Amino acid sequence: MAKPSKENSPITEHLAYLLAQANREINRQLELRLSKEGVPVEQWRILKVLSDGNGHSMGELAGAVLLNHPTLTKMIDRMVSDTLVYRVQDPNDRRKVLMFISDRGKVLCKKLNSLAVDQEEHILESYGDKSTSELKRLLENLIDSSN
Amino acid sequence: MAKPSKENSPITEHLAYLLAQANREINRQLELRLSKEGVPVEQWRILKVLSDGNGHSMGELAGAVLLNHPTLTKMIDRMVSDTLVYRVQDPNDRRKVLMFISDRGKVLCKKLNSLAVDQEEHILESYGDKSTSELKRLLENLIDSSN
DNA sequence: TTGAAAATATTGAATATTCAAGAATTGAAG
DNA sequence: CTTCAATTCTTGAATATTCAATATTTTCAA
């Protein structure tokens, strides 16, 4: 009897693959909803983080919304053109730029939040309340243990 | 006392966000290992799927390795240049192209598999055996329930 | 205080991905 | 049969992302 070796196990059994697959699917669904407002998922993330009303530096934002620094800069450029957010130089550290959400951004963010909540509720229905919260817990732990 | 409304919950509590964050982190780690052989994660996936020795059509492959069709075509072009894989027209349906792994591809795939297994073992150590298998199970269910 | 190193954000060129259109083949209805 | 729609893959142009280099400001040690 051959020993079961991980090297030969199908890709569908790798955690990295399962995460990628699940992420792709859930993200696709969310994308579909947000496209009603013509906004990519990343912009929703940005608006949501900024909607606490505080100024957030680019570096901080990049980490929070899971984007590389230059990618974020260019996305913010577009959002500034659309007057959803605006830049202010940090008075305490002039290397930094603080990002703020505009009134127009707040209005859009509300609409997007409700579309996103729609999706979460759809997941709860088909996947179950218990599984969902258990999955969230495990993901949080995984993220913590990876730092 | 204000009602706790999902619309205002921080982004870190959304399943879509947790999945994206976990995926990004685990993928980053895997990327780091595979970079030892100078191979992107997607190419490892392709080689792994093809390493069953059978021919796989482009459409089938695209689904299995989580890539859009045109993106896969261009990645396969590179891998053909590197003689890791090769194309054969499907004799039963000449619209299709069957992809096969080459001997060189097989050798590379073995090295990559062992790097990937290293990572899985590293996760098992820091995150735990039980959590990992439970997380995998939940992810599989989520994926199933999304179809 | 000054000068070198570190931190922060942006830019431009190189790469990669995506969208829409095209080419080839098959299926199937009339 | 034949023609028209559907399937499969590729291509080219438009977009987006990334890498490396740059500019600015701050920090901190000498």
Side-chain angles (χ1 to χ4, degrees), chain A:
Chain A
M1 181 164 166
K3 81 170 182 339
S5 111
K6 275 208 182 157
E7 266 84 0
N8 299 324
S9 70
I11 196 170
T12 51
E13 283 172 23
H14 282 263
L15 179 57
Y17 180 81
L18 291 170
L19 277 171
Q21 194 179 5
N23 177 52
R24 190 176 158 90
E25 177 59 24
I26 298 299
N27 200 58
R28 198 190 55 77
Q29 290 175 16
L30 181 55
E31 224 164 36
L32 201 65
R33 312 237 172 186
L34 298 189
S35 70
K36 198 187 155 199
E37 296 291 336
V39 175
V41 175
E42 290 79 11
Q43 290 199 15
W44 170 60
R45 288 196 199 128
I46 292 171
L47 291 173
K48 193 142 182 68
V49 170
L50 295 187
S51 65
D52 68 359
N54 300 324
H56 295 259
S57 76
M58 292 296 282
E60 193 192 339
L61 249 191
V65 304
L66 314 176
L67 286 178
N68 294 344
H69 217 143
T71 307
L72 177 63
T73 292
K74 284 155 193 173
M75 183 161 287
I76 288 288
D77 284 347
R78 280 168 247 153
M79 295 177 78
V80 168
S81 298
D82 296 341
T83 66
L84 296 172
V85 299
Y86 57 94
R87 292 177 160 99
V88 174
Q89 193 174 51
D90 186 338
N92 296 118
D93 184 341
R94 280 152 51 221
R95 287 171 303 183
K96 293 187 185 172
V97 170
L98 297 181
M99 297 304 313
F100 289 90
I101 190 170
S102 71
D103 289 345
R104 219 166 99 63
K106 281 179 200 159
V107 171
L108 176 58
C109 190
K110 273 212 182 110
K111 289 189 223 162
L112 298 174
N113 284 342
S114 121
L115 293 173
V117 167
D118 275 357
Q119 192 216 9
E120 290 259 319
E121 269 160 13
H122 175 260
I123 292 171
L124 282 179
E125 265 176 42
S126 65
Y127 184 56
D129 211 328
K130 208 163 169 196
S131 293
T132 305
S133 58
E134 180 65 1
L135 176 55
K136 283 187 187 179
R137 200 182 60 81
L138 285 169
L139 287 172
E140 279 164 5
N141 290 346
L142 176 65
I143 293 161
D144 286 348
S145 84
S146 299
N147 299 328

Side-chain angles (χ1 to χ4, degrees), chain B residues 7-21:
Chain B
E7 266 85 0
N8 298 324
S9 71
I11 197 170
T12 51
E13 283 172 22
H14 282 262
L15 179 57
Y17 180 81
L18 291 171
L19 277 172
Q21 194 180 6

Side-chain angles (χ1 to χ4, degrees), chain B residues 68 70-71 74-75 78 93-95:
Chain B
N68 294 345
T71 306
K74 285 155 191 175
M75 185 161 283
R78 279 168 246 151
D93 184 341
R94 281 155 48 227
R95 288 170 302 183

